[in-house]
Amino acid sequence: DVKVTQSSRYLVKRTGEKVFLECVQDMDHENMFWYRQDPGLGLRLIYFSYDVKMKEKGDIPEGYSVSREKKERFSLILESASTNQTSMYLCASRGAGFDGRRKLTSTDTQYFGPGTRLTVL
Amino acid sequence: AQKITQTQPGMFVQEKEAVTLDCTYDTSDQSYGLFWYKQPSSGEMIFLIYQGSYDEQNATEGRYSLNFQKARKSANLVISASQLGDSAMYFCAMRVRYRNTGNQFYFGTGTSLTVIP
């Protein structure tokens, strides 16, 4: 089974602090994603990475940065946390190799971590 | 623009009854994938079912089936014989492939399902 872990389930930080959220997957997946989830807004993509040292902005990258130094680890960084970054943060990973005509395999599906609920005071 | 719409913020269903959760999508791409995820109160996102845009038959996984109507751009989730443990948020998602950056996923705002004993 794919396993995606996140460093903390709950985190409380103060405004202006630098925050690191870590995500690790054990399936040698190329693609990794960071989302935030807010009531009424669903999941919104912050950043994603399709290979080591590669990163792409998602829909809401402002105020965030990411780091992918190793394939299994994708870190989300809040350089200076603000109260509007209080949210649930979800990490996901998936394998590469997509063919829309093929039946579903594990390479087509995103697998999520348990989430980190971040509160910024 | 890519878009996923879930118009039902909340749904109730009697235990053992079937329920349909609506999802419509908007894409100009010919090749895409559609997913449903379940998120219980514990917070983790659980993959339920997948439908590829070229798949002619509706996907089924146990009590879950995906009613895929390509011309209408809808991908409704049908849960048969609802159980109390089905109470959760359900998210519809679409995966589109971009030439340079690979796949990108888009999620709907979710539907909260409550199963009544």
Side-chain angles (χ1 to χ4, degrees):
Chain A
D1 282 348
V2 175
K3 190 169 183 184
V4 182
T5 57
Q6 294 182 230
S7 49
S8 306
R9 289 301 303 271
Y10 299 94
L11 209 53
V12 179
K13 295 291 182 181
R14 297 202 177 276
T15 301
E17 279 192 79
K18 191 168 185 176
V19 182
F20 290 88
L21 302 183
E22 302 285 338
C23 176
V24 178
Q25 49 94 3
D26 66 356
M27 283 300 292
D28 202 35
H29 283 172
E30 282 79 8
N31 297 173
M32 297 187 74
F33 305 80
W34 273 106
Y35 295 89
R36 64 176 283 177
Q37 182 182 19
D38 302 287
L41 297 176
L43 273 74
R44 293 181 292 167
L45 181 66
I46 305 171
Y47 266 97
F48 66 102
S49 168
Y50 52 93
D51 205 347
V52 175
K53 297 193 185 294
M54 300 292 189
K55 58 185 178 184
E56 291 290 332
K57 291 180 180 179
D59 299 322
I60 51 163
E62 295 78 21
Y64 303 95
S65 62
V66 290
S67 172
R68 185 103 181 263
E69 295 297 319
K70 293 184 177 181
K71 195 175 187 180
E72 66 271 19
R73 188 180 298 268
F74 190 35
S75 303
L76 180 69
I77 303 154
L78 287 66
E79 294 290 340
S80 178
S82 62
T83 55
N84 63 12
Q85 292 179 310
T86 291
S87 186
M88 168 74 110
Y89 289 87
L90 290 162
C91 173
S93 79
R94 68 172 287 283
F98 161 66
D99 181 343
R101 299 173 195 275
R102 210 172 48 204
K103 279 189 177 180
L104 173 69
T105 68
S106 63
T107 59
D108 292 326
T109 301
Q110 281 191 86
Y111 296 90
F112 284 84
T116 297
R117 192 169 291 281
L118 172 67
T119 302
V120 182
L121 302 175
Chain B
Q2 322 288 355
K3 190 176 175 183
I4 292 280
T5 303
Q6 293 180 253
T7 57
Q8 307 154 313
M11 290 280 286
F12 292 88
V13 64
Q14 202 75 38
E15 193 178 7
K16 299 180 185 177
E17 298 286 315
V19 63
T20 298
L21 306 184
D22 294 341
C23 173
T24 57
Y25 60 92
D26 183 19
T27 181
S28 53
D29 293 281
Q30 295 300 309
S31 179
Y32 50 90
L34 297 158
F35 302 78
W36 278 92
Y37 287 87
K38 171 184 177 182
Q39 186 180 42
S41 57
S42 53
E44 74 271 28
M45 295 282 278
I46 303 167
F47 164 71
L48 294 178
I49 197 167
Y50 165 84
Q51 178 90 37
S53 58
Y54 292 111
D55 295 337
E56 294 184 352
Q57 290 195 335
N58 286 344
T60 59
E61 290 286 345
R63 293 186 298 110
Y64 304 108
S65 60
L66 200 152
N67 185 0
F68 181 45
Q69 298 189 41
K70 196 170 183 177
R72 289 183 163 185
K73 293 189 174 180
S74 74
N76 298 340
L77 177 70
V78 180
I79 305 175
S80 62
S82 298
Q83 301 172 356
L84 296 178
D86 293 336
S87 294
M89 282 289 285
Y90 288 81
F91 290 92
C92 179
M94 176 172 65
R95 185 258 293 116
V96 178
R97 188 186 192 195
Y98 294 106
R99 187 183 301 273
N100 294 328
T101 59
N103 293 295
Q104 188 158 350
F105 285 73
Y106 301 88
F107 283 81
T109 52
T111 296
S112 175
L113 177 67
T114 302
V115 180
I116 305 166

